[in-house]
Amino acid sequence: MELTGQNLIGGTPAGGGAAFRAVDPASGATLKPEFREGDAALADRALAAAEAAFPAYARTTPGVRATFLRAIADELLALGQPLLERAHAETGLPGARLESERTRTVNQLRLFAAHIEEGSWVEARIDPGDPGRAPPKPDIRRMLVPLGPVAVFAASNFPFAFSVAGGDTASALAAGCPVVCKAHPGHPGTSELVARAVYRAADRGSISTGVFSLLHGWGHEVGLALVRHPLTRAVGFTGSLRAGRALFDAGAARPDPIPVYAEMGSVNPVFLLPSAVAERWETIAQGLAQSITLGVGQYCTSPGVVLGVGGPDFDRLVRALGERLRGAPAGVMLYDRLSEAYAAGIARARSRGAELLAATPAPPAAGPTCGAPALLATDAAHFLADPALREEVFGPSSLVVKASDVAELVRVAEALEGQLTASIHGTAAELDVHAPLVEALQRKVGRLIFNGFPTGVEVGHAMQHGGPYPATTDARTTSVGTAAIVRFARPVCWQDFPDAALPAALRNHNVLGIWRRVNGAITREDVASGV
């Protein structure tokens, strides 16, 4: 498919402002075609199209929306090798990684389709009325309904799974909300190809193309315009703390504040308890090295801090980890600003007293976005005293923190900001003995991992990919897994409505066959009495 470089408003190509091109991060070469920056006027057009499409789309049955999601998945697969080649050219990510990520994206679209067909996500609650009670008890029924148009900001590090047809878009469309997507400027051609797949899926299902628009841009204008627009009802974002906080503040400053669900970063600490270090030091070192360097460290769950109790066993593990990182190849990072920020992060940590234990030399012919693995070290006292050492360095590095005992590890855990994950390596007995560490981490993270590494995020019903601020702006929500759908819905209660006027999920006859809470009990049975 030939790329146009246009913004897409409900499927209709639209021009824009200044021109820019994608850049091959491996070579620095610019790629055709030129893309046009979106602006506030285009954001207004896209949200007007979304608002016009919303009433009919919100009324579609779960089956219709499920068919739409599955059609998007099919169209992504139908794009074949050209999609992977364009994504590789724009991101430098290897073909096998991109193919795996496309599979994940397809699977999560299909997972949301099955989820809404099953139907209990609407959390239907029914308290039948009792006119014979004194005073009469009203008939009250409650369920989740879609919010309205949602603005989605695509991420740089996952050009499929957290981008145009990624988890935020899938969960919003599944809930019944139109989406206006701000493409990441690092992979605009990939974004256009995926957007056109969404439109083809909409045509197959007779869905209004107004349910989806795509806007481009490096600048802040179009993003802030989307958040501030009065028709936007919620925002999904994955990216940096600085950008996420700016969008969150913009959403809160509106005359009518809206939720901005921003995932913004995490150092994902890995705590190594003494027995695990003594028994499995070599295996742990190998697993850490693989996790730190996976995808050139460009995962929001990359382990940026490794903590343990000092001693011969811990020192041996750290030496083994350093050897593995020193021998790991440097890689191509997604774009120049990211590699520059990575280098600055390493320099900042060293300027604050962190010791450089190991580093991979950049190859002589390294491109402009080369990211070289590195391992730094400090002690717990300095780590506790200097907040700068606790800042995320996005890339293939980690900071080793040596504590005097497990009690000091607990103090470090208590001092951490909110995180997406924390990992504990130890024995079952150590978990019991060191329960205060587990309890401290439970207050700080969204996902606790035992004897594993954080970079694998399973897409399923129970996954929690979120955490206390600054990992995300709302620790109650997730951006991965089917629970993500509730971000784009709100509860509505119907009191004393006639049965025929109720949504299907709340009627006496459970025509959808979903699980509902009736008089406090979970059941699929019909309601015996009602208004």
Side-chain angles (χ1 to χ4, degrees):
M1 176 187 295
E2 184 176 351
L3 295 171
T4 68
Q6 299 290 299
N7 297 280
L8 297 169
I9 309 300
T12 301
F20 70 97
R21 287 192 178 190
V23 176
D24 182 338
S27 66
T30 59
L31 305 172
K32 294 181 179 180
E34 288 187 336
F35 291 83
R36 293 290 172 176
E37 294 263 359
D39 55 22
L42 288 175
D44 180 68
R45 286 176 54 188
L47 284 160
E51 178 67 19
F54 173 58
Y57 186 63
R59 287 194 301 269
T60 56
T61 66
V64 168
R65 296 200 299 278
T67 298
F68 179 32
L69 294 173
R70 291 190 179 103
I72 297 173
D74 293 343
E75 292 292 343
L76 285 179
L77 291 175
L79 286 169
Q81 194 63 24
L83 175 64
L84 302 180
E85 291 171 355
R86 180 70 190 199
H88 170 70
E90 291 183 327
T91 67
L93 295 171
R97 149 68 197 273
L98 289 168
E99 187 167 6
S100 174
E101 187 187 333
R102 178 171 63 177
T103 299
R104 168 181 167 164
T105 306
V106 164
N107 288 343
Q108 68 189 11
L109 285 160
R110 291 171 175 167
L111 179 67
F112 275 107
H115 187 56
I116 59 176
E117 282 180 328
E118 185 276 330
S120 61
W121 78 271
V122 299
E123 299 178 10
R125 296 168 178 258
I126 300 173
D127 290 334
D130 182 2
R133 194 190 73 174
K137 177 187 175 185
D139 186 278
I140 299 175
R141 308 185 182 212
R142 177 187 187 271
M143 65 178 284
L144 298 177
V145 301
L147 285 176
V150 170
V152 167
F153 288 74
S156 65
N157 57 336
F158 282 86
F160 302 141
F162 281 85
S163 290
V164 175
D168 286 344
T169 295
S171 52
L173 291 175
C177 298
V179 169
V180 178
C181 182
K182 163 65 170 60
H184 194 279
H187 43 79
T190 305
S191 299
E192 181 181 330
L193 290 172
V194 174
R196 292 188 178 279
V198 174
Y199 291 128
R200 288 193 296 275
D203 287 342
R204 285 170 52 180
S206 299
I207 302 289
S208 168
T209 53
V211 302
F212 186 82
S213 291
L214 182 76
L215 300 177
H216 292 288
W218 269 110
H220 302 301
E221 179 187 0
V222 67
L224 288 173
L226 287 173
V227 176
R228 292 168 175 162
H229 198 285
L231 294 178
T232 302
R233 295 291 89 205
V235 176
F237 169 86
T238 298
S240 70
L241 174 59
R242 180 179 177 182
R245 183 57 197 250
L247 297 179
F248 178 80
D249 290 345
R254 291 169 41 134
D256 57 335
I258 58 170
V260 175
Y261 299 110
E263 181 206 315
M264 300 177 294
S266 177
V267 299
N268 306 295
V270 179
F271 288 80
L272 307 178
L273 296 177
S275 292
V277 173
E279 297 169 7
R280 297 186 286 111
W281 63 270
E282 189 171 19
T283 302
I284 292 172
Q286 181 178 353
L288 277 169
Q290 292 172 345
S291 189
I292 291 166
T293 58
L294 184 66
V296 201
Q298 298 170 116
Y299 281 71
C300 51
T301 52
S302 184
V305 179
V306 178
L307 309 100
V309 177
D313 291 328
F314 185 69
D315 291 345
R316 181 167 54 177
L317 186 153
V318 172
R319 285 195 300 272
L321 176 58
E323 291 170 2
R324 284 167 172 78
L325 291 182
R326 194 178 295 110
V332 176
M333 298 191 76
L334 292 160
Y335 53 97
D336 54 1
R337 296 184 193 181
L338 209 56
S339 60
E340 290 164 5
Y342 173 62
I346 298 292
R348 181 185 67 240
R350 297 186 69 181
S351 74
R352 310 298 290 199
E355 178 187 1
L356 183 65
L357 297 182
T360 298
T369 64
C370 179
L375 186 67
L376 300 103
T378 189
D379 58 44
H382 284 89
F383 189 76
L384 285 167
D386 191 349
L389 291 173
R390 304 198 290 270
E391 294 180 13
E392 181 185 26
V393 179
F394 193 71
S397 73
S398 195
L399 174 67
V400 171
V401 178
K402 183 185 294 188
S404 57
D405 52 29
V406 175
E408 193 168 37
L409 290 181
V410 175
R411 291 195 292 276
V412 169
E414 291 171 341
L416 289 171
E417 294 183 309
Q419 307 292 329
L420 293 172
T421 76
S423 305
I424 303 173
H425 285 256
T427 65
E430 281 181 311
L431 285 183
D432 185 51
V433 171
H434 301 303
L437 175 62
V438 180
E439 292 166 2
L441 291 174
Q442 183 178 311
R443 298 185 63 183
K444 299 290 183 175
V445 309
R447 179 165 58 111
L448 281 169
I449 301 154
F450 183 56
N451 287 343
F453 302 97
T455 38
V457 181
E458 181 72 20
V459 181
H461 299 292
M463 177 51 65
Q464 174 61 25
H465 190 66
Y469 184 88
T472 65
T473 51
D474 191 338
R476 299 167 298 176
T477 65
T478 179
S479 60
V480 175
T482 56
I485 195 173
V486 301
R487 297 173 299 166
F488 305 123
R490 65 181 180 88
V492 172
C493 175
W494 285 259
Q495 182 169 325
D496 288 334
F497 264 59
D499 190 70
L502 289 166
L506 296 179
R507 293 176 187 170
N508 290 333
H509 176 43
N510 188 6
V511 63
L512 300 179
I514 63 175
W515 291 102
R516 308 187 294 183
R517 186 175 291 276
V518 179
N519 280 327
I522 302 293
T523 179
R524 280 180 169 168
E525 298 297 320
D526 292 343
V527 177
S529 62
V531 176

